[in-house]
């Protein structure tokens, strides 16, 4: 029996799997992106629904990120450009101490943030700045009476069929080019363009999953993140993409 896949609204916080790499930075990312959405929608005081911690971060970003800041980071052409943007600097001011605290919990000697981790957060800021339509629902696959929750990743969106036929929203050739990227700049550039294309097609994107997956890719790139090939983000994305395409 073929699974039926539906999107279901959820008032629960993101799952542990969706925030495995974001960790304690999840609320920071959600508040930072919410500030960008406020600017886009010209609503300065959108009400957050994620508790006092998220509200505190949101208040900080309201005082540090202007409309011009949000526009500048979206127009960046390279990751190096992102590092000089006030919107990223505001994000990093909150992320850096949180990461250092997390590192300290694991090691009493090494409290240094790696260059790879810094690059990963540049990528998160750049790609998420392209997202203007957010999907905070989760996916449920139904087979008979049984149901299971799926990962609401970018691959889920990319593999969905277009309304006018059997073609996926992102062609296999373009998707394979993304997952075959071996250089961080190339990967992030391709990813940012794919996100922009999906947004132009009217597709909403889950920013928590997206940010978490970017950090996952950079952890894989560092070389010691996974035990088996199936632990790699690109393998997981590939399996998800073709599953969605075949539905």
């Amino acid at each position: 029996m073929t699974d039926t896949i539906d999107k279901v609204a959820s008032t629960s916080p993101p799952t542990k799997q969706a925030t495995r790499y974001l960790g304690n930075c999840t609320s920071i990312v959600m508040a930072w992106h919410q500030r960008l959405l406020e600017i886009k929608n010209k609503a300065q005081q959108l009400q957050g629904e994620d508790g006092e911690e998220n509200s505190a971060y949101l208040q900080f970003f309201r005082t540090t990120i202007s409309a011009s800041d949000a526009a500048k980071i979206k127009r960046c052409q390279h990751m190096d450009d992102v590092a000089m943007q006030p919107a990223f600097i505001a994000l990093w001011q909150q992320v850096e101490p949180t990461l250092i605290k997390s590192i300290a919990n694991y090691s009493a000697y090494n409290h240094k943030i790696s260059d790879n981790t810094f690059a990963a957060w540049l990528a998160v800021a750049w790609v998420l700045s392209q997202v203007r339509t957010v999907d905070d629902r989760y996916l449920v696959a139904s087979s008979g009476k049984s149901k299971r929750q799926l990962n609401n990743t970018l691959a889920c969106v990319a593999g969905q069929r277009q309304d006018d036929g059997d073609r996926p929203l992102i062609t296999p050739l373009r998707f394979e080019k993304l997952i075959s990227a071996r250089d961080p700049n190339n990967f992030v550039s391709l990813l940012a363009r794919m996100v922009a294309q999906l947004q132009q097609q009217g597709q909403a994107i889950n920013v928590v999953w997206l940010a978490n997956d970017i950090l996952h890719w950079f952890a894989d790139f560092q070389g010691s993140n996974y035990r088996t090939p199936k632990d790699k983000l690109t393998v997981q994305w590939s399996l998800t993409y073709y599953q969605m395409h075949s539905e």
Side-chain angles (χ1 to χ4, degrees):
M1 181 180 295
T2 303
D3 287 349
T4 300
I5 298 178
D6 300 300
K7 287 188 175 181
V8 180
S10 173
T11 57
S12 302
T15 63
K16 288 185 178 180
Q17 190 172 4
T19 60
R20 176 184 173 189
Y21 295 90
L22 279 170
N24 294 332
C25 294
T26 302
S27 295
I28 299 173
V29 168
M30 294 173 69
W32 183 81
H33 190 262
Q34 186 173 344
R35 173 56 182 157
L36 299 189
L37 291 182
E38 284 185 345
I39 292 170
K40 170 190 172 290
N41 296 323
K42 297 181 180 179
Q44 299 303 310
Q45 298 295 324
L46 289 179
Q47 296 299 314
E49 300 179 353
D50 299 299
E52 294 181 1
E53 182 182 23
N54 188 55
S55 297
Y57 289 132
L58 185 55
Q59 290 300 329
F60 172 79
F61 293 133
R62 282 172 175 161
T63 62
T64 53
I65 302 176
S66 67
S68 62
D69 295 336
K72 288 176 182 177
I73 194 169
K74 186 178 179 181
R75 291 197 299 265
C76 287
Q77 297 298 314
H78 303 282
M79 282 203 300
D80 289 347
D81 300 335
V82 177
M84 299 179 286
Q85 300 305 317
F88 170 75
I89 293 171
L91 174 63
W92 188 246
Q93 285 175 334
Q94 298 300 314
V95 167
E96 184 179 26
T98 304
L99 292 179
I100 291 174
K101 185 177 180 180
S102 297
I103 294 170
N105 289 336
Y106 287 99
S107 172
Y109 305 103
N110 181 17
H111 297 177
K112 183 180 179 181
I113 296 174
S114 69
D115 291 342
N116 186 70
T117 299
F118 182 73
W121 281 97
L122 290 175
V124 167
W126 187 19
V127 176
L128 261 61
S129 71
Q130 309 299 316
V131 179
R132 58 184 183 274
T133 306
V134 177
D135 186 356
D136 57 3
R137 296 173 294 176
Y138 62 88
L139 297 175
V140 171
S142 304
S143 180
K145 294 183 179 180
S146 65
K147 294 184 178 182
R148 68 184 190 281
Q149 187 172 337
L150 301 177
N151 301 342
N152 194 8
T153 66
L154 187 72
C156 293
V157 184
Q160 291 177 21
R161 296 179 183 179
Q162 297 187 29
D163 294 336
D164 59 353
D166 293 333
R167 295 178 302 164
L169 292 170
I170 299 297
T171 65
L173 181 62
R174 187 163 188 177
F175 182 77
E176 289 167 9
K177 187 175 181 181
L178 172 67
I179 63 175
S180 298
R182 297 293 179 266
D183 172 77
N185 282 294
N186 187 33
F187 170 77
V188 177
S189 179
L190 290 169
L191 181 60
R193 290 201 294 268
M194 183 177 292
V195 167
Q197 178 182 336
L198 289 168
Q199 295 279 277
Q200 289 171 359
Q201 292 171 316
Q203 300 300 313
I205 293 173
N206 188 299
V207 294
V208 173
W209 271 111
L210 181 57
N212 192 71
D213 282 350
I214 292 170
L215 296 177
H216 187 170
W217 188 92
F218 275 84
D220 289 344
F221 178 74
Q222 200 168 23
S224 59
N225 177 59
Y226 57 90
R227 295 180 296 276
T228 68
K230 198 172 181 180
D231 293 326
K232 292 185 67 175
L233 174 71
T234 51
V235 173
Q236 293 174 8
W237 269 9
S238 183
L239 293 172
T240 301
Y241 173 84
Y242 287 105
Q243 177 189 6
M244 296 299 295
H245 186 201
S246 64
E247 293 297 332

